[in-house]
């Protein structure tokens, strides 16, 4: 009987240990379980979401995020059923998506980035010598939008600019390479800024307003030939030494590059004196998507990681200035001398892009 009782007791003890281990594992799984959310993002945020530190920070808050890249305006033509969020690069395409899918306001806007023009030093020096830009040191300056648009209106070539003959790569029509405004946010916002300047500081609000600047906008686009649908491609071409000597990109792309390489030979960052901020806006398609958008906006760790990738967190300029101190030679941290142009409604912006594309 004692032997039987001992066996029974051993079995009970083993069973208890097994049950405790299983319960512990279940508790552990429950504590570390993450919600998998899927979204479509602008390509300029792909490196942010792929950053292992961002992945960990999201996991710590209970999220596994899977993303696919698309041009911001092209998202409107996608079937987003089954996705948790869309994350275009500005508010205008976000508003269109919110309207299409019945998403209620407010839409989370975690961070923003102004549009800038990257230039090779030879091009920046020639622009400055001809009154089209001013330089603050050797790696940063300001593009005079009115003067540049006047040059575009009159089909100016590099060869007509003083000093360009010393640089064999500066030939042909003077223009800024941008993305397709019908599918890409940066290309559309470029037109918004140009229209605002050409319209005498008035935001386009009607067909008549679009009519007044359409010929100029058409020139800005037609001179480029084929355009890409994402700013990532033209920026990489520029860095590799290919493509146009002037390219429109997001400041965040430049800041990210500089965080990796610290300095880039031959790079000058020109801030248009009238530009547009690209407000990266989350369109929540599910409750989980909204929770993610709010987390990106408020979590201190994720805000710091956004700055690492060159984005400016909403509501805290000092945070960006402190984090990019090592890149101040290239970045206009306080956006001194830069005016923000209002963005037309999405309907007007669509019509502007359509007319510019011809």
């Amino acid at each position: 009987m004692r032997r039987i009782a001992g066996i029974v007791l051993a079995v009970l003890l083993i069973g208890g240990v097994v049950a405790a281990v299983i319960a512990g594992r279940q508790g552990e799984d429950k504590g570390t379980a993450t919600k998998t959310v899927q979204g479509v993002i602008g390509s300029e945020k792909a490196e942010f979401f792929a950053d292992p530190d961002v992945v960990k920070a999201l996991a710590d808050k209970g999220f596994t995020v899977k993303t696919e890249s698309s041009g911001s305006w092209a998202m409107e033509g996608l079937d987003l059923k089954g996705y948790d969020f869309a994350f275009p690069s500005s508010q205008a395409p976000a508003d269109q998506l919110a309207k299409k899918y019945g998403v209620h306001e407010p839409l989370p806007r975690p961070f923003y980035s102004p549009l800038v023009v990257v230039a090779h030093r030879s091009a920046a020096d020639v622009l400055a010598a001809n009154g089209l830009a001013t330089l603050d040191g050797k790696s940063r300056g300001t593009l005079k939008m009115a003067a540049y648009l006047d040059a575009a209106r009159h089909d100016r070539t590099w060869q007509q600019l003083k000093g360009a003959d010393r640089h064999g790569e500066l030939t042909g029509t003077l223009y800024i390479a941008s993305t397709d405004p019908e599918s890409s946010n940066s290309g559309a916002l470029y037109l918004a800024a140009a229209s605002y300047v050409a319209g005498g500081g008035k935001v386009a609000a009607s067909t008549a307003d679009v009519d007044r600047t359409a010929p100029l906008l058409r020139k800005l686009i037609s001179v480029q030939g084929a355009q890409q649908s994402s700013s990532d491609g033209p920026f990489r071409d520029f860095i590799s030494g290919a493509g146009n000597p002037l390219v429109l990109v997001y400041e965040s792309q430049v800041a990210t590059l500089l965080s990796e390489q610290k300095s880039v030979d031959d790079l000058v960052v020109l801030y248009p004196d009238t530009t547009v901020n690209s407000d990266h806006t989350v369109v929540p398609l599910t409750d989980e998507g909204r929770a993610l958008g709010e987390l990106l906006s408020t979590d201190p760790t994720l805000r710091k990681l956004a700055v690492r990738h060159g984005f400016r967190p909403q509501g805290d300029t000092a945070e960006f200035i402190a984090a990019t101190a090592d890149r101040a030679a290239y970045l206009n941290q306080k956006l001194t001398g830069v005016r923000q142009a209002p963005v037309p409604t999405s309907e007007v912006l669509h019509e502007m892009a359509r007319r510019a594309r011809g």
Side-chain angles (χ1 to χ4, degrees):
M1 289 297 294
R2 285 196 299 270
R3 185 179 301 170
I4 293 173
I7 293 172
V8 171
L9 180 60
V11 170
L12 290 174
L13 287 172
I14 292 171
V17 171
V18 171
V21 170
I22 292 174
R25 287 179 177 173
Q26 289 176 338
E28 181 181 351
D29 290 344
K30 184 176 181 181
T32 60
T34 60
K35 298 181 287 291
T36 298
V37 295
Q38 188 164 351
V40 179
I41 63 172
S43 63
E44 69 290 330
K45 293 183 284 290
E47 289 188 7
F48 171 75
F49 281 105
D51 184 335
D53 290 335
V54 173
V55 173
K56 181 182 183 301
L58 288 169
D60 288 344
K61 295 296 181 178
F63 286 92
T64 296
V65 180
K66 296 183 178 180
T67 63
E68 301 170 18
S69 296
S70 168
S72 292
W73 283 107
M75 292 180 190
E76 189 178 346
L78 302 177
D79 182 3
L80 297 181
K81 291 179 181 178
Y83 288 83
D84 296 286
F85 70 97
F87 202 173
S89 303
S90 72
Q91 190 169 353
D95 287 342
Q96 284 290 91
L97 289 169
K99 181 179 179 181
K100 179 178 179 179
Y101 290 96
V103 178
H104 67 81
E105 300 282 352
L107 303 180
R109 291 185 296 146
F111 39 73
Y112 67 97
S113 183
L115 289 172
V116 300
V117 175
V118 289
H120 295 301
R121 186 163 293 121
S122 57
D125 288 342
V126 170
L127 291 178
N130 288 270
L132 297 173
T134 58
L135 299 180
D136 307 317
K138 66 176 185 178
S139 301
R140 188 185 71 202
T142 302
L143 177 71
K144 297 182 178 181
M145 278 292 285
Y148 165 69
L149 292 177
D150 185 66
R153 189 180 287 109
H154 292 92
D155 302 313
R156 297 277 292 278
T157 65
W158 284 105
Q159 291 93 320
Q160 292 173 320
L161 300 183
K162 179 176 58 180
D165 57 341
R166 295 194 294 269
H167 307 284
E169 72 277 11
L170 300 180
T171 60
T173 304
L174 168 67
Y175 71 90
I176 296 171
S178 62
T179 53
D180 180 358
E182 290 191 292
S183 62
S184 170
N185 175 69
S186 59
L189 294 185
Y190 174 46
L191 297 184
S195 171
Y196 183 76
V197 174
K202 178 184 177 183
V203 62
S206 65
T207 301
D209 292 336
V210 174
D211 289 342
R212 277 191 288 273
T213 59
L216 173 60
L217 301 186
R218 172 66 177 154
K219 281 191 173 186
L220 296 179
I221 300 304
S222 62
V223 70
Q224 301 184 46
Q227 294 176 289
Q228 299 189 50
S229 62
S230 166
S231 60
D232 185 60
F235 184 54
R236 291 184 184 278
D237 289 344
F238 175 87
I239 296 303
S240 70
N244 198 55
L246 303 173
V247 180
L248 185 80
V249 299
Y250 295 108
E251 180 194 56
S252 59
Q253 293 173 290
V254 179
T256 300
L257 175 71
L258 293 173
S259 71
E260 296 168 350
Q261 299 188 24
K262 301 304 178 186
S263 66
V264 181
D265 291 339
D266 197 39
L267 171 66
V268 179
V269 185
L270 299 176
Y271 285 75
D273 56 14
T274 300
T275 190
V276 176
N277 277 345
S278 182
D279 290 313
H280 296 267
T281 305
V282 177
V283 182
L285 303 174
T286 65
D287 290 342
E288 289 78 9
R290 182 170 291 278
L292 174 65
E294 293 172 352
L295 183 67
L296 292 171
S297 302
T298 59
D299 182 73
T301 299
L302 288 167
R303 286 173 65 91
K304 289 179 181 178
L305 289 169
V307 174
R308 177 197 291 179
H309 286 270
F311 298 110
R312 294 173 178 255
Q314 295 286 357
D316 195 345
T317 303
E319 193 174 349
F320 179 83
I321 292 173
T324 59
D326 60 336
R327 291 162 272 178
Y330 293 87
L331 305 179
N332 185 345
Q333 295 174 297
K334 296 182 180 180
L335 298 179
T336 304
V338 176
R339 179 172 58 168
Q340 298 299 319
V343 179
T345 64
S346 55
E347 290 80 6
V348 171
L349 203 53
H350 266 307
E351 178 63 12
M352 197 180 290
R354 187 188 67 80
R355 294 283 298 277
R357 289 286 293 167

